Amino acid sequence: MYRFNISAPGVVFLNGDPIPKYNQSTIAAGLNMRTKLTFSSFLPNAVKKNFIELNFPDIQLYMKIPLLAYLHLFDIIKSINNDLIICREVRKFLSTLVYIGTYNSDNREHFSSLQAFFSLLVLIAHRHSINITTSFVVKISSELPIGEGLGSSASFLVCLAACFLRWSFLQKGISSYEFESEERLRIMHYCSICERFIFHSSSSISISACIKGTIVIYGKTTEGTYVDWIYQDYPSIKILLVCSNARRKIVQNRKFDIIRHLYSFIQPIMNIIDELSKTFVEMLCDWKMDQDTRKLFQNVDELEPSELKDHYEKLLVNFF
């Protein structure tokens, strides 16, 4: 009945701290390593018993459940307007689910992925009136390493939210190849809910950079509010990614506060990182204003101000 593809880029933090509460300037960029999704829905009466199938081979996750099980969940949450309660109901649903496949409830990646899948499905189906009466299959693959700080969860969420939103549009006879700005804001909203409640992230910078697919600068204005600046037309740049074989651990805000108070040497380091970010922002502004982009890339040495080198030297001195 419907078949389409969705993809979303990964995200890399070029400078600054992914937790903006502790660092005034953060620079993130879309990474050309993508998560890809294929959606297929069946014609009515194509199978005897309708089902929902999710296939995510990168984490060895395959699940097939009766459509009736999902419809029962939808009946429970359709009168709920609180996003947190909906996510909790989905968690309960997964604990009692009867399924066919490789799903392992003790596998954190499996559980988080399924919770995000069903949370986004019920949220968008409810608020955008998706009429689910037939079987459908969602297959996901990713070029991004899972849990290595390259936006794999953000890319996964954006693909799912965009998929279900596009499905709702197709059912209404709306067909377009690009999402408008208002629709991208909706995707941002739904993904941020899951990023906060499921993946326990206090920042939506990764989601923003993933949706926009470009450089995003998140910083503090003179009025003290946090905003992001978008560099839409910025040229592609090559980034060397170094894998340390160490998984990124999520640090809870409260624990980080305690660490900062206990160790006085952390604050100067954070200040230097912030200065590095500001210098990087100035460089980006200069690049954007310069019309001769090719010449800039050919003369890489000119792109590294002496101030940037000084900041790195200060960082090393303070750290060691």
Side-chain angles (χ1 to χ4, degrees):
M1 191 174 181
Y2 297 112
R3 181 180 174 85
F4 56 84
N5 299 316
I6 296 281
S7 74
V11 176
V12 61
F13 283 87
L14 300 177
N15 216 330
D17 193 334
I19 306 176
K21 178 180 177 182
Y22 303 110
N23 190 32
Q24 293 184 352
S25 301
T26 302
I27 305 170
L31 187 64
N32 195 22
M33 297 170 66
R34 307 183 75 86
T35 298
K36 300 176 182 179
L37 181 152
T38 298
F39 175 88
S40 306
S41 65
F42 289 39
L43 290 169
N45 303 317
V47 293
K48 290 183 179 180
K49 292 185 178 181
N50 286 311
F51 60 86
I52 296 175
E53 181 177 308
L54 173 64
N55 189 4
F56 193 178
D58 294 284
I59 59 171
Q60 292 80 49
L61 173 60
Y62 171 80
M63 172 178 275
K64 185 176 182 180
I65 69 165
L67 179 59
L68 285 175
Y70 162 77
L71 294 177
H72 177 67
L73 169 66
F74 189 77
D75 285 338
I76 294 173
I77 64 91
K78 65 183 180 182
S79 60
I80 301 174
N81 293 318
N82 186 293
D83 298 328
L84 177 58
I85 295 176
I86 290 176
C87 290
R88 286 175 177 169
E89 289 296 331
V90 169
R91 183 183 289 265
K92 292 179 186 177
F93 169 73
L94 292 178
S95 66
T96 59
L97 191 59
V98 177
Y99 60 90
I100 298 172
T102 61
Y103 170 59
N104 179 2
S105 59
D106 294 327
N107 184 314
R108 187 172 182 177
E109 292 173 350
H110 284 196
F111 185 76
S112 298
S113 298
L114 274 184
Q115 191 178 2
F117 176 84
F118 284 108
S119 295
L120 288 170
L121 180 59
V122 296
L123 281 168
I124 296 174
H126 174 42
R127 295 176 184 175
H128 296 274
S129 304
I130 302 178
N131 185 23
I132 305 177
T133 58
T134 63
S135 303
F136 68 91
V137 177
V138 174
K139 184 174 182 179
I140 301 172
S141 63
S142 183
E143 300 168 344
L144 296 161
I146 307 299
E148 298 292 346
L150 294 178
S152 57
S153 63
S155 185
F156 174 73
L157 292 173
V158 169
C159 273
L160 286 175
C163 168
F164 298 140
L165 196 60
R166 178 166 173 76
W167 189 13
S168 74
F169 291 160
L170 290 174
Q171 287 193 348
K172 298 176 181 67
I174 303 171
S175 179
S176 61
Y177 291 99
E178 293 185 5
F179 290 104
E180 300 294 335
S181 57
E182 182 179 348
E183 295 156 0
R184 290 196 293 269
L185 286 175
R186 290 174 180 171
I187 293 172
M188 176 82 176
H189 170 70
Y190 293 125
C191 291
S192 296
I193 292 170
C194 291
E195 187 81 335
R196 178 183 174 188
F197 293 140
I198 298 173
F199 294 98
H200 308 295
S201 173
S202 60
S203 169
S204 59
I205 301 175
S206 293
I207 299 290
S208 180
C210 182
I211 292 173
K212 297 175 175 69
T214 185
I215 292 179
V216 176
I217 300 173
Y218 189 90
K220 197 173 185 180
T221 65
T222 54
E223 291 79 16
T225 58
Y226 286 93
V227 296
D228 55 6
W229 293 272
I230 312 300
Y231 284 75
Q232 289 283 15
D233 301 322
Y234 201 79
S236 298
I237 58 176
K238 292 184 178 180
I239 301 171
L240 175 64
L241 298 177
V242 179
C243 180
S244 65
N245 293 322
R247 286 181 174 267
R248 179 172 60 95
K249 295 183 179 180
I250 298 174
V251 179
Q252 298 296 331
N253 291 354
R254 179 57 183 160
K255 292 180 180 179
F256 198 89
D257 282 331
I258 294 172
I259 292 173
R260 290 182 70 195
H261 288 298
L262 289 177
Y263 299 98
S264 59
F265 67 85
I266 290 181
Q267 188 58 52
I269 293 175
M270 299 299 290
N271 292 338
I272 293 170
I273 291 175
D274 188 48
E275 289 301 318
L276 283 170
S277 297
K278 290 176 181 177
T279 303
F280 201 173
V281 170
E282 292 175 3
M283 292 170 59
L284 291 175
C285 292
D286 291 340
W287 285 350
K288 187 173 179 64
M289 293 175 63
D290 195 313
Q291 299 299 316
D292 192 5
T293 307
R294 292 185 179 180
K295 184 178 179 180
L296 283 174
F297 280 107
Q298 290 171 356
N299 298 280
V300 178
D301 291 338
E302 297 178 10
L303 301 179
E304 186 174 309
S306 59
E307 292 85 2
L308 185 60
K309 183 178 179 182
D310 292 338
H311 286 311
Y312 275 115
E313 290 175 350
K314 290 178 183 177
L315 177 61
L316 291 173
V317 169
N318 279 273
F319 188 76
F320 293 105

